[in-house]
Amino acid sequence: MSVGHSKARLGTQVSSMTEELREFFGAPRDAGLLIQHIEPGSAAEVAKLAVGDVLTQVDGQRVEHVSDVRDALSDRNKGDVVEVVIIRKKTRKTLKVTLTGDAGPTAFTIPAMPSFELPPEAQRFMGPEGQRELERALDQARDQLRAMEHDLQRIEVPGAAPPPPTPPTPATPPAAPKAKRGRPGKR
């Protein structure tokens, strides 16, 4: 997750792409971010960028990672005009964009909570007690991630849309107490 502010913004939400996706869209193998959302009234909307475009350069800088957009705009201000290079329908286009200064995050991503399940191959090599220990540790990790996600969603970022509600999580049955080991009949 990254949260950052820039003095100037495009008003896009972009995501990383694999080499195969870049090839599919006609982008260079080593650059390109898929535009997933255009903020209404943003510089990107005014410049006619579109969802599905692949952003390959911002202000002369190649973009490969989401943070590259923020870095390319870090010394720019509201009203500055920058060139962006996009791939649209496998055709390269250069557009001039007059940046806005809207307050808001340049990158804010909370990835989906990963699924923690022990693969069947690993289960074969662990005894029942080891599996229960691992499940308890994973349950604790899930709880910590949920608490962190809840705290992050409560952070107010100026100009940002409110976070989506967190889906309910299934209750986990309490772990069985550990059996005491020792010889029968001896205390």
Side-chain angles (χ1 to χ4, degrees), residues 110 113 142 145-154 162-169:
I110 299 176
M113 190 167 303
R142 282 186 200 103
L145 283 171
R146 282 187 201 101
M148 234 188 312
E149 184 178 30
H150 182 264
D151 290 345
L152 287 171
Q153 288 177 347
R154 291 179 36 194
T166 306
T169 54

Side-chain angles (χ1 to χ4, degrees), residues 75-104:
D75 62 346
R76 294 303 191 154
N77 293 301
K78 176 182 179 180
D80 287 352
V81 177
V82 297
E83 284 189 351
V84 297
V85 177
I86 61 166
I87 305 297
R88 180 181 291 161
K89 297 182 182 174
K90 297 191 178 191
T91 303
R92 184 179 196 259
K93 293 182 180 246
T94 301
L95 303 172
K96 293 197 182 287
V97 180
T98 302
L99 300 171
T100 60
D102 305 319

